[in-house]
Amino acid sequence: MTDPDNNSAARLTPIGSDRSQSTIAIRLSGTIGDLLMDVAMNAPMTGVTGLFGPSGSGKTSLLRCVAGLTRLQGFVSIGDDIWQDDASGVFRPPHDRELGYVFQDARLFRHLNVRGNLMFGARRLSSPPSPDDFARLVELLSLGRLLDRSVERLSGGEQQRVSIGRALLARPRLLLMDEPLSAVDRAMKDEVLPYLENLSSAFSIPILYVSHDISEVSRLADWLVLIARGRVTAEGPLDDLLARLDLNPQTGRFEAGVLISGTVTGHDDAYGFGCVAFENAVLKIPGLSAPVGSVVRLRIRARDVAIATERPSGISIRNIVAGSIQSIVSEADSAFAEILIGVGGQRLRARITRSACEELGLADGRQVFALIKSVAFDSRATIAR
């Protein structure tokens, strides 16, 4: 069985063809039910673009419009392919758009086994996938031992992996994923997420990924589009948007945080943690198994960061990082303040009480120490790159 955390999967020969590397351009407006949609966005033709927002904000409606299943007025282009341009009278029906669609539920065919479901996605191709292409996909999704099994005997996570494989074998230009993990429990989600991390790079295909779970988006996405009440309120590189304090109500106060990158420098097997060099500090991460020299991305939640104005001693916190305050946003409607801390070329966020902020005399430019508990990290916080 393939190890989903093994980055060798990302070095597989892509199944998809390497075409224009421009943008996914979407300009759509109109009414769907009671929701007035007015969307304008440009996402890269590489990596995963997360469409994030609360339920009812228009994320799924937008995905259906891109697929041609729902029609609004406007323009949709995928790199050099124009799928919709109402000004020129162009509208490609869904079957004429090179896309794969993965829904919240797997929607597998019960009369077909796993192999049959996988190959169903290639029916419309002029030539079927080569045996090598099929084998690479089966290896990436760890489906080899399941090929002859009835889909009714699969777990929820296995069913979604088959659904993803079926979509990919159609050799789509774009993969649309509509909250594919919302119908599975936490354990199943943890099973499937490592596979999703490898999809875009392994198959050289851009992905539009809909979710209302910021931790899920933070783990998978490279580009983030925030959607509220049918409109795009912000878009840009994931790291930049997560660090913007003005977007805190949208990205979620409780789960708000940032992503930082570091290099694995060693492991302490006696105590069960790995060491990651991050700017002027070495972070101790429990359970980290990534090899020495590899680059990992860590998600650090603002609520897991404390602040000291002097380097502390005699405390249990293992990760102490020096930095300077870049900005402070006090929430008048709550007891809390959000603080952005510059650490070299990267940033941390802290969420502390407003009273603590005032008592410590925190202000822009002040040198501080960010304290991060090692126990704040778990296997879902560390993403190999």
Side-chain angles (χ1 to χ4, degrees):
M1 176 185 274
T2 299
D3 180 359
D5 293 318
N6 187 339
N7 278 343
S8 63
R11 295 192 291 271
L12 295 172
T13 303
I15 285 180
S17 58
D18 184 15
R19 300 173 65 178
S20 171
Q21 296 296 308
S22 51
T23 64
I24 301 167
I26 301 172
R27 306 284 185 276
L28 294 168
S29 62
T31 301
I32 298 177
D34 296 329
L35 182 65
L36 177 61
M37 298 280 291
D38 188 4
V39 173
M41 57 172 278
N42 286 283
M45 279 288 290
T46 56
V48 178
T49 293
L51 305 180
F52 177 77
S55 298
S57 60
K59 306 183 299 298
T60 294
S61 295
L62 175 57
L63 222 60
R64 290 180 58 84
C65 288
V66 172
L69 299 172
T70 300
R71 185 165 183 177
L72 294 177
Q73 291 296 305
F75 179 89
V76 177
S77 67
I78 310 302
D80 55 359
D81 288 345
I82 297 177
W83 288 0
Q84 178 178 348
D85 184 1
D86 288 310
S88 302
V90 174
F91 183 84
R92 290 194 195 180
H95 66 268
D96 197 27
R97 302 188 183 200
E98 297 175 84
L99 61 87
Y101 205 127
V102 179
F103 297 89
Q104 294 181 20
D105 56 315
R107 302 193 182 189
L108 301 179
F109 298 104
R110 301 296 172 183
H111 66 288
L112 298 175
N113 62 12
V114 169
R115 187 189 303 273
N117 271 277
L118 289 173
M119 293 305 298
F120 190 89
R123 288 188 316 155
R124 68 180 185 182
L125 298 177
S126 57
S127 60
S130 70
D132 286 345
D133 285 348
F134 185 83
R136 283 197 298 270
L137 180 135
V138 167
E139 180 184 11
L140 178 68
L141 295 175
S142 295
L143 296 174
R145 64 183 177 83
L146 304 176
L147 290 176
D148 297 321
R149 185 177 296 182
S150 165
V151 296
E152 294 182 339
R153 294 175 53 213
L154 301 179
S155 68
E158 290 169 341
Q159 289 185 22
Q160 277 298 48
R161 279 153 49 199
V162 174
S163 177
I164 292 165
R166 180 177 61 185
L168 287 170
L169 280 175
R171 288 199 184 97
R173 185 83 191 278
L174 174 68
L175 183 61
L176 307 178
M177 306 190 81
D178 185 10
E179 300 197 62
L181 302 181
S182 65
V184 300
D185 59 25
R186 179 76 258 178
M188 291 294 183
K189 181 177 291 191
D190 290 342
E191 172 194 322
V192 178
L193 273 170
Y195 295 98
L196 298 184
E197 289 173 354
N198 290 323
L199 289 184
S200 181
S201 58
F203 296 104
S204 293
I205 180 174
I207 299 173
L208 294 184
Y209 190 96
V210 165
S211 179
H212 62 270
D213 183 340
I214 192 62
S215 63
E216 190 177 308
V217 170
S218 298
R219 179 163 179 172
L220 298 175
D222 307 288
W223 190 267
L224 181 60
V225 179
L226 298 180
I227 300 178
R229 297 181 296 279
R231 295 175 179 267
V232 172
T233 57
E235 69 171 312
L238 175 71
D239 298 9
D240 290 347
L241 263 62
L242 291 181
R244 281 181 53 180
L245 301 185
D246 61 310
L247 297 176
N248 192 46
Q250 288 183 260
T251 53
R253 287 183 172 91
F254 190 71
E255 286 295 327
V258 296
L259 293 173
I260 64 169
S261 296
T263 302
V264 179
T265 59
H267 299 91
D268 188 327
D269 295 333
Y271 290 101
F273 62 78
C275 300
V276 175
F278 164 62
E279 300 297 341
N280 61 358
V282 175
L283 303 179
K284 295 183 177 181
I285 312 299
L288 179 64
S289 59
V292 172
S294 61
V295 176
V296 295
R297 194 166 68 167
L298 307 173
R299 181 168 180 265
I300 301 177
R301 294 170 296 194
R303 61 187 173 94
D304 293 328
V305 178
I307 293 178
T309 54
E310 298 178 355
R311 180 178 287 274
S313 61
I315 62 173
S316 63
I317 295 178
R318 303 290 86 186
N319 300 315
I320 301 175
V321 182
S324 61
I325 294 177
Q326 291 184 344
S327 61
I328 300 175
V329 173
S330 294
E331 302 174 353
D333 60 342
S334 77
F336 299 100
E338 290 277 343
I339 300 174
L340 192 64
I341 305 164
V343 182
Q346 302 191 64
R347 292 160 294 191
L348 293 170
R349 286 180 67 165
R351 181 171 172 79
I352 65 174
T353 63
R354 286 191 290 144
S355 61
C357 185
E358 293 180 8
E359 289 174 12
L360 292 173
L362 302 184
D364 290 0
R366 173 128 191 211
Q367 298 297 305
V368 295
F369 294 91
L371 315 180
I372 312 164
K373 290 184 177 181
S374 293
V375 294
F377 296 102
D378 60 21
S379 59
R380 297 185 296 273
T382 308
I383 308 126
R385 283 308 193 210

